[in-house]
Amino acid sequence: MKLRQLTALLDDSPDATVAVDVHGRIAEWNPAAEVMFGWTRAEVVDVPFRSFVPGDELAAFDMAWSRLEAGIRVPNFDADRMHRDGTRLAVNVHVSAVRDDAGFAGTVATFRPQVQPDLAVLRGEHDRAAGLPSRRLLQAALTAAVPAGMVRGVAVVDVDAFALVNQTYGPDVGDEVLRELGRRLAPASAGCVAGRWQADEFVFVVDAPDPTAALDQLIEAARRNVGAPLPVGAQSLYLTISAGLVTTEDAAPADLFAAATRALRLAKAGGRDRAAWFDPADGVSAQDELQLASDLRVGIAGGEMRLLYQPILELANHDVIGLEALVRWQRPGRGLLEPAEFIDVAERTGQIAPLGAWVFEQACQTGVLLAQLDSAPHSMSIKLSARQLSDPGVVDILVHALIGSGCSPSTVIVEVTETALMHDMPNATATLRAIKALGVDLALDDFGTGYSSLLYLKDVPVDRIKIDRSFISGLGVDADATAIVASMISLAHSVGVQAVAGAVETVDQLTLLRQMGCDFAQGCLFSVPLTLEELRPWLRQHPPARRRRARAATTPLAPETGQILRMHKEGASLRTIAAALNVDGRRTALDLRWSPRSVAKVITRSESPTIAPPA
């Protein structure tokens, strides 16, 4: 009898699996059993399995063993087995006899946490889709008092790119995969409260003297179980998870879920398939977030939101082809806040709808206002967040903004990120098609950072891709990044899509992008985001190529001292300042050997370096 070879096939099983020899002693104990029962394989091999059976269930155990010895099948049954900490685990047992030439040679049993679905579902405590405790039970566990002498730990787990399963295989397969995920996560949850929070997000609550070690072990087991091949028809799926973790040593009990969620976002931003611990330096608290949400509501209604505009240039002729509208919050006492500091709260509190409507209206009004200038940009780009994209009313909000402002749909570009599409690909695609039907162009932002960039180009009616800054920053420095950018531009052009380079900061990057045939670019090399008051004179100083040629023949050229000052304050190098003066085709005689003090002298005296027309 080769029990070791037999049970080796089950080492990767998400179910706790135990092999027992003919004498009733444990021969194999797989990793899932270690997680479920709390003992390692080395501690239990050759130990009688009977010692894990509570005294009041020994008679039933002996009867099942006798039936198996006699060759009688034992149906699945519910029972209790002992955990290392002395508690009883309610499990569902599937046991089979193992036979060799000599006859009965032992058993192999699998254990799954026992659930009472009918009663639990009736009470709202069981999630039928995943076969795990529900959000209601998790909320009760999160709000319960931490037992004396214990530390509470919380893990929020998200299945990476799960939306693509539904999109690729359909919702029925997605539901079955979700049920299998529940089965695979269940063994990892022994000794804690675990359940499905929403969609493909799961939560684990652990009370232990050292929950850090318990959570690390739990997440490792969950990653191993979820990562095992998952058959779907003739194919196999390989899924990964990301997790955010925290304990009451780093956050107050009431703030654990918010802190773990913030750590989860950090893990996913870091590339997914990883776990991240909450950093107390992030300073999350339920009270702070509540105050932020309250202030934001007042700010949206009270005129504290601001729009800045960053120019987008056409690289073939350096014409300002468009603008990107960027929202900021002038929060009293805190200054001008970046979106990263408030967009997440806006999405989670439902305020993204009024904020998004305000951005649409203001950006469209600005587009109409600037159209009166001879140097007016051709388009206005506006970002849509994941939550906005899932809102069925977002198309009506856009229509209202277009009609109310008199803005032409052909001058508006709606940008979405790959991450936003992944949340709900079918509905997102339908929403984008409805927006496209209005005559609005679509752009895919952060291109290259998601899992299925090529799939998006096939299924989503985009007109532009915006190459992520992580690739642009490597241009000319990292050979792989340079090759990837060139491939992205070529790929976009091959399917009739234009390419935009974001966050261009150096002349070398600009030179390479031109050589690669990139269509458009934006970044601090050309201009930082500007207020409307700053934008008007900037546009007058950057007329279209046709006006530049006419002006060059009759007008002495002079640099823009205000632009030099702005770039100097941003910490730009002399080479960058010189490049900015070159942006409309003029050549500057600014000596790149000048010291910062010399440039500062020019700026403060409102003097100008000598400018010569192009040769």
Side-chain angles (χ1 to χ4, degrees):
M1 160 56 192
K2 298 181 178 180
L3 279 173
R4 182 176 297 278
Q5 287 86 340
L6 175 63
T7 55
L9 298 175
L10 299 173
D11 276 351
D12 290 332
S13 171
D15 294 324
T17 305
V18 179
V20 179
D21 66 19
V22 67
H23 305 294
R25 294 181 177 275
I26 295 170
E28 284 298 333
W29 182 273
N30 78 341
E34 292 181 335
V35 173
M36 174 174 277
F37 296 106
W39 279 284
T40 65
R41 179 183 179 278
E43 293 174 308
V44 299
V45 167
D46 289 332
V47 173
F49 186 76
R50 222 167 166 271
S51 62
F52 296 88
V53 180
D56 59 346
E57 293 195 18
L58 284 174
F61 174 81
D62 291 339
M63 183 180 294
W65 183 268
S66 298
R67 289 170 62 89
L68 291 166
E69 278 186 312
I72 303 172
R73 179 180 175 274
V74 175
N76 290 11
F77 61 95
D78 292 334
D80 285 355
R81 294 294 181 259
M82 301 306 297
H83 190 271
R84 184 182 190 128
D85 63 8
T87 61
R88 295 169 65 127
L89 293 178
V91 294
N92 180 264
V93 185
H94 172 81
V95 61
S96 300
V98 177
R99 297 187 174 276
D100 59 14
D101 294 340
F104 179 74
T107 66
V108 173
T110 58
F111 302 85
R112 291 178 177 174
Q114 186 185 134
V115 294
Q116 301 293 335
D118 294 338
L119 184 59
V121 169
L122 185 62
R123 293 173 177 170
E125 297 172 352
H126 183 78
D127 184 273
R128 191 187 298 273
L132 291 172
S134 69
R135 179 170 180 161
R136 178 177 177 181
L137 194 63
L138 289 170
Q139 288 173 323
L142 287 166
T143 56
V146 180
M150 296 289 185
V151 178
R152 176 162 294 166
V154 171
V156 178
V157 175
D158 185 82
V159 181
D160 299 322
F162 182 76
L164 294 180
V165 176
N166 282 325
Q167 189 227 335
T168 305
Y169 299 102
D172 291 340
V173 172
D175 290 344
E176 181 54 41
V177 170
L178 189 61
R179 283 189 288 273
E180 179 60 23
L181 285 171
R183 287 192 286 268
R184 294 185 177 200
L185 289 170
S189 65
C192 72
V193 178
R196 180 176 176 237
W197 187 260
Q198 62 180 3
D200 58 333
E201 189 171 278
F202 302 84
V203 174
F204 298 80
V205 183
V206 179
D207 289 328
D210 180 14
T212 300
L215 285 177
D216 281 336
Q217 184 182 24
L218 184 155
I219 294 301
E220 183 56 36
R223 291 179 68 184
R224 182 172 60 245
N225 292 352
V226 171
L230 196 159
V232 175
Q235 298 178 309
S236 292
L237 291 181
Y238 293 86
L239 299 177
T240 60
I241 60 173
S242 298
L245 307 97
V246 67
T247 72
T248 45
E249 293 176 336
D250 290 327
D255 300 327
L256 288 175
F257 181 76
T261 301
R262 182 165 296 190
L264 172 63
R265 291 196 293 270
L266 180 65
K268 296 185 85 68
R272 301 179 175 87
D273 190 20
R274 65 190 64 200
W277 281 91
F278 171 68
D279 184 353
D282 288 347
V284 66
S285 80
Q287 185 174 359
D288 288 345
E289 291 214 347
L290 184 62
Q291 187 62 54
L292 179 65
S294 177
D295 289 351
L296 181 59
R297 190 178 304 278
V298 172
I300 295 172
E304 295 172 7
M305 311 313 294
R306 303 285 185 268
L307 275 190
L308 301 183
Y309 304 91
Q310 187 168 42
I312 302 171
L313 278 71
E314 185 171 8
L315 295 188
N317 55 20
H318 275 295
D319 276 359
V320 180
I321 198 71
L323 301 169
E324 180 179 3
L326 303 167
V327 67
R328 301 289 189 267
W329 178 17
Q330 190 72 49
R331 189 181 183 188
R334 293 288 302 277
L336 196 65
L337 302 188
E338 297 278 338
E341 299 181 73
F342 60 86
I343 287 295
D344 180 62
V345 169
E347 289 196 320
R348 287 189 285 114
T349 58
Q351 296 183 68
I352 194 66
L355 176 59
W358 179 86
V359 170
F360 273 139
E361 292 170 1
Q362 292 298 310
C364 288
Q365 290 172 12
T366 298
V368 172
L369 185 65
L370 293 177
Q372 302 170 18
L373 300 177
D374 188 38
S375 55
H378 300 306
S379 63
M380 179 71 71
S381 296
I382 308 168
K383 274 190 172 65
L384 269 186
S385 73
R387 184 61 60 86
Q388 286 176 286
L389 196 55
S390 64
D391 180 1
V394 70
V395 178
D396 291 338
I397 291 173
L398 178 55
V399 169
H400 182 271
L402 292 170
I403 294 175
S405 63
C407 182
S408 169
S410 63
T411 64
V412 174
I413 299 173
V414 168
E415 294 187 1
V416 295
T417 65
E418 289 192 40
T419 304
L421 288 176
M422 286 167 55
H423 283 281
D424 187 354
M425 184 70 173
N427 286 333
T429 302
T431 299
L432 291 177
R433 291 188 185 280
I435 291 175
K436 180 73 173 173
L438 300 176
V440 172
D441 278 359
L442 300 176
L444 188 57
D445 198 6
D446 298 341
F447 186 77
T449 60
Y451 278 85
S452 298
S453 302
L454 299 179
L455 185 64
Y456 299 139
L457 287 185
K458 179 177 76 72
D459 292 346
V460 181
V462 298
D463 301 282
R464 297 180 179 183
I465 61 167
K466 183 180 286 187
I467 302 170
D468 186 65
R469 65 185 305 138
S470 61
F471 298 108
I472 299 300
S473 63
L475 279 176
V477 179
D478 183 300
D480 290 339
T482 303
I484 289 171
V485 172
S487 298
M488 287 179 178
I489 294 171
S490 177
L491 170 66
H493 290 166
S494 70
V495 294
V497 173
Q498 296 173 314
V500 184
V504 178
E505 297 178 347
T506 71
V507 174
D508 291 341
Q509 291 170 358
L510 177 61
T511 301
L512 284 171
L513 289 167
R514 279 207 198 99
Q515 293 172 355
M516 294 173 181
C518 188
D519 301 287
F520 311 111
Q522 68 183 100
C524 292
L525 177 61
F526 312 113
S527 174
V528 297
L530 305 168
T531 65
L532 182 57
E533 291 70 24
E534 294 168 327
L535 180 64
R536 287 193 184 98
W538 192 95
L539 288 173
R540 283 194 290 269
Q541 293 293 334
H542 295 79
R546 55 181 174 77
R547 285 189 56 204
R548 293 200 302 271
R549 287 192 294 268
R551 189 176 67 178
T554 58
T555 308
L557 299 175
E560 308 145 28
T561 302
Q563 174 70 0
I564 298 177
L565 178 60
R566 166 171 287 279
M567 298 195 73
H568 180 70
K569 287 182 176 179
E570 293 292 326
S573 67
L574 287 172
R575 185 176 298 277
T576 302
I577 293 173
L581 293 174
N582 267 317
V583 81
D584 63 356
R586 294 172 289 172
R587 185 176 64 190
T588 175
L590 178 64
D591 192 332
L592 296 181
R593 294 170 296 179
W594 282 7
S595 68
R597 180 174 296 179
S598 299
V599 175
K601 182 178 178 182
V602 170
I603 293 171
T604 54
R605 293 186 180 179
S606 299
E607 297 175 358
S608 300
T610 304
I611 300 293

